[in-house]
Amino acid sequence: DYWRVILGPAGPIPMRIYAPRDARAGVQLPVVIAFHGAGADENMFFEGYGAGRLRQLADSVGFLLVSPLTIPFVQDAAALDSTLAVLQRDYLIDRATVYVLGHSLGGAAAWKAASERRSAVRAAAVIAPAVNAPASSAFPATLIVGAEADLVIPITRVRVTYEQASAAGAAVEFSLAEGWGHTLVVGARLDDVVRWLFRH
């Protein structure tokens, strides 16, 4: 578990990286890249959401967890290229199993990565996302989680995104988190989201 900075297309990108405890030499690791919401930073998935539950899942499922500062990825999907190049240099990663997930603004980053770097992303999950539906079906399998009690990104908006994406032929699924609000929904649904990603 360490903090580092890599050079992206528009400048430095800080990130936290966690390798599972039982990672073994010669064994390729799947990768989960997690994008935080607005107002947070690269530590949010490690210390905030679900009290660091995603790091525990990295151990139990066995994946390399990467949580960068979100803004560079919202601005330019090429930040994903830079990140994967560094990861591939420093770890034995499985480029065929790269997953992205994001919350709120981070959902927009994950959505952008999935739509603009289709060949690099196996599947995506967005929680309480602030996104618009893709214009075509050229999109990886994506889970959209809407929080029923969300006052920031209302569930009606999330449903519309899902319906439009589905109508465009995208491979999207919708999950309703009953009773949860905008931020606490992340910790509540991380287990389900990770299980869903690794089924794809």
Side-chain angles (χ1 to χ4, degrees), residues 80 112-123 137-141 171:
L80 182 66
K112 187 179 186 73
S115 62
E116 296 186 19
R117 294 296 187 271
R118 173 68 182 90
S119 63
V121 175
R122 185 177 184 112
S137 61
F139 211 73

Side-chain angles (χ1 to χ4, degrees), residues 15-138:
M15 60 182 60
R16 288 277 293 272
I17 300 175
Y18 179 74
R21 291 182 190 144
D22 63 352
R24 298 186 307 276
V27 177
Q28 289 185 321
L29 285 172
V31 179
V32 173
I33 302 177
F35 301 105
H36 63 79
D41 63 19
E42 64 276 10
N43 299 295
M44 190 65 174
F45 271 101
F46 280 70
E47 314 295 344
Y49 300 129
R53 176 62 182 154
L54 194 54
R55 186 169 42 189
Q56 296 169 0
L57 288 167
D59 277 330
S60 61
V61 177
F63 58 83
L64 185 70
L65 171 59
V66 182
S67 188
L69 188 68
T70 292
I71 291 295
F73 295 82
V74 174
Q75 295 170 337
D76 190 348
L80 182 66
D81 303 333
S82 301
T83 301
L84 291 175
V86 169
L87 295 177
Q88 192 162 25
R89 184 191 70 204
D90 294 349
Y91 295 93
L92 185 60
I93 63 170
D94 183 357
R95 288 293 297 263
T97 52
V98 174
Y99 302 102
V100 294
L101 72 89
H103 168 241
S104 193
L105 179 66
W111 197 260
K112 187 179 186 73
S115 62
E116 296 186 19
R117 294 296 187 271
R118 173 68 182 90
S119 63
V121 175
R122 185 177 184 112
V126 291
I127 305 170
V131 298
N132 296 315
S136 74
S137 61

